[in-house]
Amino acid sequence: MPRPDPMVAIPAGHGAGERLAALLARIGADADFPALSAQVRRVQLLADSELENLHHLADEILQDVGLTQKLLRWVNAAPHVAHRGGVATVSRAISLLGLSTVKGIAASLMLLEHWDNAAQADRLREAFAHALLAAHLAAELHGQGAERERIFLAALFQGFGRMLMVRFFPEVAERVQAEAQGDPAREQAAVLRHLGVRYDELALAVARQWGFPQELQRTMERPGGPVPARTPPDRLEWVRWVAAAGTDLADAWLQGVVSGHGEAFERCARRYAHLVEKTPEEVAEAAREARGRFAMLLEAVGLRGRLNGPLWRAWLTEGQDDPRRPVPGPARAPDGASAEAASAAHGPREAVADEEPAALLLAQGLYDATAALLDDLSGPERLELVLETLLRALRAQRVWLVTPGAGAQAVARLWLGPGAAAVASQYRVALNGQTLESGELLPALGRLRRDSWLEDVGAAKIQARLPAWYQAACAARTSMIMLPLWRGEQWLGWLHLDGPGIVLPALGGVERHLLRALRNLAAAALAERPA
């Protein structure tokens, strides 16, 4: 399907509303936009306050393997996560960072995933990297604290309008870039002249379509006017200004590479220093720290070796050939950059591992579940961690936690994976020796004292003992694992996994021990559930 002409003809005299409507119509006509829009909306429309939505958000992310891996590597680059030993599960990432933060990060990664093969992918990566650098600078200006992620996301999405222009209006982007020559003021004027609206207007219109939270919509809009002489009493207004500081510092730093001088960065540092209660020298020091974290994250999301433009190549490598040579801005790599940046300089690393060993995934998941127990996370939250770990480590497609319910029936209480929710709504198995729709095999295996693995649930002898609703939900050559849950002599239910690539028969002794430990944690968490 041919892409529409990127230029939007707006009759003279039409206002910003008509221009914006025409731009949105052109974006909506792009073949890639509807699928991306649907995925982002599903994530963004989850409320932040409900525990159930932690489960739904994790389930949505886990259905995309590439997104899952990139998100976990992104999260592990966060400073307050790294000191905990890392995070191996999406559920644990959400519990540490919060639903809002993970939703924002996931949305930004979805942009990268969906648009990575676009014709203008190189420029889009550069626009994304620019926003990412601004976010790291803004977050480092604030330092550690509860508002760090809020500031990070605000700065990241203050670059959303530029990304939209590069992706959907590449000819406009070329004109803007040619006229701006790296100058932010000239860029804003060129955008208004050629696109007809400001970056913020375009970004906010799409953000509203996608259901971004009101707080993010407000903070992603760049504030106008001079920098406040005092800290604004409205905390969200302060977040907007710190995010803007990150963007301006990124612009000045990159501009210094073009000009060969660091005066622009120094002026910017002086302009914003009081806003974050730092000296200009401390702003420069924060920028050095941000550079290291930024380089590590570029590698984590697969961008480190794919920023091929001369500006980014120069910025990422400046000073490495001669550590004594002064460089524009505050960074003096490699000695001025962090250890993470120095290691990233050795070259790109594939962002998504093809097949991580089951033992590693089980061990990492066990660590997450144990850390969650020590952090006093609730039983349901810890069960979520165990289910996610098993889903990934055993190469399953779907997993259900099944427990006794009313009327001597076992019912699905928790689930993950594509299509698992539809099966869960029908999951009813009799426990009193009778059957419901010929479902004898499930309770029989679920109450054993050992694990069970069926290579193909479509085999004739097995099909006859499975309920019709489950047979209908299984593709050809679906394998199944049943992991009964016992605590002493008390039977608590079972874990039911299925999919085409399950690896239970190939597990060795170490993996079996790890699996047993995870199951024990699940049983302990399950025993805490209210009756």
Side-chain angles (χ1 to χ4, degrees), residues 87-89 92 358-372 382 385-386 388-390 392-393 518 521:
V87 169
T89 55
R92 183 64 173 151
L360 176 61
L361 290 171
L362 288 168
Q364 290 175 332
L366 181 60
Y367 178 91
D368 270 6
T370 305
R382 298 188 336 255
L385 291 172
V386 173
E388 182 183 336
T389 299
L390 294 176
R392 296 179 60 215
L518 276 164
L521 285 175

Short mmCIF file of all heavy atoms in Angstrom, two decimals, residues 87-89 92 358-372 382 385-386 388-390 392-393 518 521:
data_model
loop_
_atom_site.label_atom_id
_atom_site.label_comp_id
_atom_site.label_asym_id
_atom_site.label_seq_id
_atom_site.Cartn_x
_atom_site.Cartn_y
_atom_site.Cartn_z
N VAL A 87 16.24 -6.61 37.50
CA VAL A 87 14.85 -7.04 37.42
C VAL A 87 14.72 -7.99 36.24
O VAL A 87 15.23 -7.71 35.17
CB VAL A 87 13.91 -5.83 37.24
CG1 VAL A 87 12.51 -6.27 36.88
CG2 VAL A 87 13.90 -4.98 38.50
N ALA A 88 14.05 -9.11 36.45
CA ALA A 88 13.93 -10.11 35.39
C ALA A 88 12.51 -10.29 34.89
O ALA A 88 12.28 -11.03 33.95
CB ALA A 88 14.47 -11.46 35.89
N THR A 89 11.53 -9.65 35.53
CA THR A 89 10.14 -9.83 35.14
C THR A 89 9.46 -8.48 34.97
O THR A 89 9.76 -7.51 35.67
CB THR A 89 9.36 -10.63 36.21
OG1 THR A 89 9.52 -9.99 37.47
CG2 THR A 89 9.87 -12.05 36.31
N ARG A 92 7.69 -7.36 38.18
CA ARG A 92 8.55 -6.72 39.18
C ARG A 92 8.92 -5.30 38.76
O ARG A 92 8.99 -4.39 39.59
CB ARG A 92 9.82 -7.56 39.35
CG ARG A 92 10.78 -7.05 40.41
CD ARG A 92 10.17 -7.10 41.78
NE ARG A 92 11.13 -6.78 42.81
CZ ARG A 92 10.81 -6.23 43.98
NH1 ARG A 92 9.55 -5.94 44.23
NH2 ARG A 92 11.73 -5.98 44.88
N ALA A 358 16.88 -21.57 30.14
CA ALA A 358 15.79 -21.71 31.11
C ALA A 358 16.30 -21.53 32.54
O ALA A 358 15.63 -20.90 33.37
CB ALA A 358 15.14 -23.08 30.95
N ALA A 359 17.50 -22.05 32.83
CA ALA A 359 18.04 -21.94 34.20
C ALA A 359 18.24 -20.49 34.59
O ALA A 359 17.95 -20.09 35.73
CB ALA A 359 19.35 -22.71 34.31
N LEU A 360 18.73 -19.68 33.64
CA LEU A 360 18.96 -18.26 33.93
C LEU A 360 17.65 -17.55 34.20
O LEU A 360 17.52 -16.79 35.17
CB LEU A 360 19.69 -17.61 32.76
CG LEU A 360 19.94 -16.09 32.88
CD1 LEU A 360 20.80 -15.79 34.11
CD2 LEU A 360 20.60 -15.56 31.62
N LEU A 361 16.65 -17.79 33.35
CA LEU A 361 15.36 -17.14 33.54
C LEU A 361 14.70 -17.58 34.85
O LEU A 361 14.09 -16.77 35.55
CB LEU A 361 14.44 -17.44 32.36
CG LEU A 361 14.83 -16.77 31.04
CD1 LEU A 361 13.98 -17.31 29.89
CD2 LEU A 361 14.66 -15.27 31.14
N LEU A 362 14.81 -18.87 35.17
CA LEU A 362 14.23 -19.35 36.42
C LEU A 362 14.93 -18.73 37.63
O LEU A 362 14.29 -18.32 38.60
CB LEU A 362 14.32 -20.88 36.49
CG LEU A 362 13.39 -21.66 35.56
CD1 LEU A 362 13.80 -23.13 35.51
CD2 LEU A 362 11.93 -21.52 36.00
N ALA A 363 16.27 -18.65 37.56
CA ALA A 363 17.03 -18.07 38.67
C ALA A 363 16.72 -16.59 38.84
O ALA A 363 16.53 -16.10 39.97
CB ALA A 363 18.53 -18.28 38.45
N GLN A 364 16.64 -15.86 37.73
CA GLN A 364 16.32 -14.44 37.82
C GLN A 364 14.91 -14.23 38.34
O GLN A 364 14.66 -13.33 39.15
CB GLN A 364 16.47 -13.80 36.43
CG GLN A 364 17.91 -13.70 35.96
CD GLN A 364 18.02 -13.18 34.54
OE1 GLN A 364 17.11 -13.37 33.73
NE2 GLN A 364 19.12 -12.51 34.23
N GLY A 365 13.99 -15.05 37.88
CA GLY A 365 12.62 -14.94 38.38
C GLY A 365 12.51 -15.28 39.85
O GLY A 365 11.74 -14.65 40.59
N LEU A 366 13.28 -16.26 40.28
CA LEU A 366 13.29 -16.62 41.70
C LEU A 366 13.82 -15.46 42.53
O LEU A 366 13.31 -15.15 43.61
CB LEU A 366 14.14 -17.87 41.91
CG LEU A 366 14.25 -18.39 43.34
CD1 LEU A 366 12.88 -18.75 43.89
CD2 LEU A 366 15.18 -19.60 43.40
N TYR A 367 14.86 -14.78 42.00
CA TYR A 367 15.40 -13.61 42.69
C TYR A 367 14.32 -12.52 42.82
O TYR A 367 14.13 -11.93 43.87
CB TYR A 367 16.61 -13.07 41.94
CG TYR A 367 17.20 -11.82 42.55
CD1 TYR A 367 18.23 -11.90 43.48
CD2 TYR A 367 16.72 -10.56 42.20
CE1 TYR A 367 18.77 -10.75 44.06
CE2 TYR A 367 17.26 -9.41 42.77
CZ TYR A 367 18.27 -9.52 43.69
OH TYR A 367 18.79 -8.38 44.26
N ASP A 368 13.62 -12.25 41.70
CA ASP A 368 12.56 -11.24 41.73
C ASP A 368 11.48 -11.59 42.74
O ASP A 368 11.02 -10.74 43.51
CB ASP A 368 11.92 -11.12 40.34
CG ASP A 368 12.61 -10.09 39.48
OD1 ASP A 368 13.65 -9.55 39.90
OD2 ASP A 368 12.11 -9.82 38.37
N ALA A 369 11.05 -12.86 42.74
CA ALA A 369 9.98 -13.28 43.64
C ALA A 369 10.42 -13.20 45.10
O ALA A 369 9.65 -12.82 45.98
CB ALA A 369 9.54 -14.70 43.29
N THR A 370 11.68 -13.56 45.37
CA THR A 370 12.19 -13.47 46.74
C THR A 370 12.30 -12.02 47.18
O THR A 370 11.94 -11.67 48.31
CB THR A 370 13.56 -14.15 46.83
OG1 THR A 370 13.45 -15.50 46.35
CG2 THR A 370 14.06 -14.18 48.27
N ALA A 371 12.81 -11.16 46.29
CA ALA A 371 12.92 -9.74 46.61
C ALA A 371 11.53 -9.15 46.86
O ALA A 371 11.35 -8.31 47.76
CB ALA A 371 13.61 -8.99 45.48
N ALA A 372 10.55 -9.58 46.10
CA ALA A 372 9.18 -9.09 46.30
C ALA A 372 8.65 -9.51 47.67
O ALA A 372 7.94 -8.76 48.34
CB ALA A 372 8.27 -9.62 45.20
N ARG A 382 3.03 -11.39 44.04
CA ARG A 382 4.10 -12.39 43.95
C ARG A 382 3.69 -13.55 43.06
O ARG A 382 4.53 -14.12 42.34
CB ARG A 382 4.46 -12.88 45.36
CG ARG A 382 4.98 -11.73 46.20
CD ARG A 382 5.55 -12.09 47.54
NE ARG A 382 5.14 -13.28 48.18
CZ ARG A 382 4.29 -13.33 49.22
NH1 ARG A 382 3.72 -12.22 49.66
NH2 ARG A 382 4.01 -14.48 49.79
N LEU A 385 4.49 -12.64 39.55
CA LEU A 385 5.92 -12.81 39.23
C LEU A 385 6.21 -14.26 38.87
O LEU A 385 6.94 -14.54 37.92
CB LEU A 385 6.77 -12.40 40.42
CG LEU A 385 6.82 -10.90 40.77
CD1 LEU A 385 7.55 -10.69 42.08
CD2 LEU A 385 7.51 -10.12 39.67
N VAL A 386 5.67 -15.19 39.65
CA VAL A 386 5.94 -16.61 39.40
C VAL A 386 5.36 -17.03 38.05
O VAL A 386 6.02 -17.72 37.25
CB VAL A 386 5.36 -17.48 40.53
CG1 VAL A 386 5.47 -18.96 40.18
CG2 VAL A 386 6.08 -17.19 41.84
N GLU A 388 4.75 -15.21 35.41
CA GLU A 388 5.51 -14.63 34.31
C GLU A 388 6.83 -15.36 34.11
O GLU A 388 7.25 -15.63 32.98
CB GLU A 388 5.77 -13.15 34.58
CG GLU A 388 6.52 -12.48 33.45
CD GLU A 388 6.84 -11.03 33.73
OE1 GLU A 388 6.14 -10.40 34.55
OE2 GLU A 388 7.81 -10.52 33.13
N THR A 389 7.51 -15.70 35.21
CA THR A 389 8.78 -16.42 35.12
C THR A 389 8.59 -17.77 34.44
O THR A 389 9.36 -18.16 33.55
CB THR A 389 9.39 -16.61 36.51
OG1 THR A 389 9.64 -15.32 37.09
CG2 THR A 389 10.68 -17.40 36.44
N LEU A 390 7.59 -18.51 34.84
CA LEU A 390 7.34 -19.83 34.25
C LEU A 390 6.98 -19.71 32.78
O LEU A 390 7.41 -20.52 31.95
CB LEU A 390 6.22 -20.54 35.01
CG LEU A 390 6.53 -20.91 36.46
CD1 LEU A 390 5.29 -21.52 37.13
CD2 LEU A 390 7.71 -21.86 36.55
N ARG A 392 7.94 -17.52 30.60
CA ARG A 392 9.11 -17.24 29.77
C ARG A 392 10.14 -18.37 29.83
O ARG A 392 10.71 -18.75 28.82
CB ARG A 392 9.73 -15.92 30.18
CG ARG A 392 8.81 -14.72 29.96
CD ARG A 392 9.45 -13.42 30.41
NE ARG A 392 10.67 -13.17 29.67
CZ ARG A 392 11.75 -12.59 30.19
NH1 ARG A 392 11.76 -12.24 31.46
NH2 ARG A 392 12.82 -12.38 29.45
N ALA A 393 10.41 -18.88 31.04
CA ALA A 393 11.47 -19.88 31.19
C ALA A 393 11.11 -21.20 30.53
O ALA A 393 11.98 -21.88 29.97
CB ALA A 393 11.77 -20.09 32.67
N LEU A 518 10.38 -22.00 42.96
CA LEU A 518 9.36 -21.06 42.50
C LEU A 518 7.96 -21.54 42.85
O LEU A 518 7.09 -20.77 43.27
CB LEU A 518 9.47 -20.86 40.99
CG LEU A 518 10.50 -19.83 40.53
CD1 LEU A 518 10.79 -20.00 39.04
CD2 LEU A 518 10.02 -18.41 40.81
N LEU A 521 7.24 -20.87 46.44
CA LEU A 521 6.89 -19.47 46.66
C LEU A 521 5.45 -19.20 46.22
O LEU A 521 4.72 -18.43 46.87
CB LEU A 521 7.84 -18.56 45.91
CG LEU A 521 9.25 -18.39 46.51
CD1 LEU A 521 10.12 -17.55 45.58
CD2 LEU A 521 9.17 -17.74 47.88
#
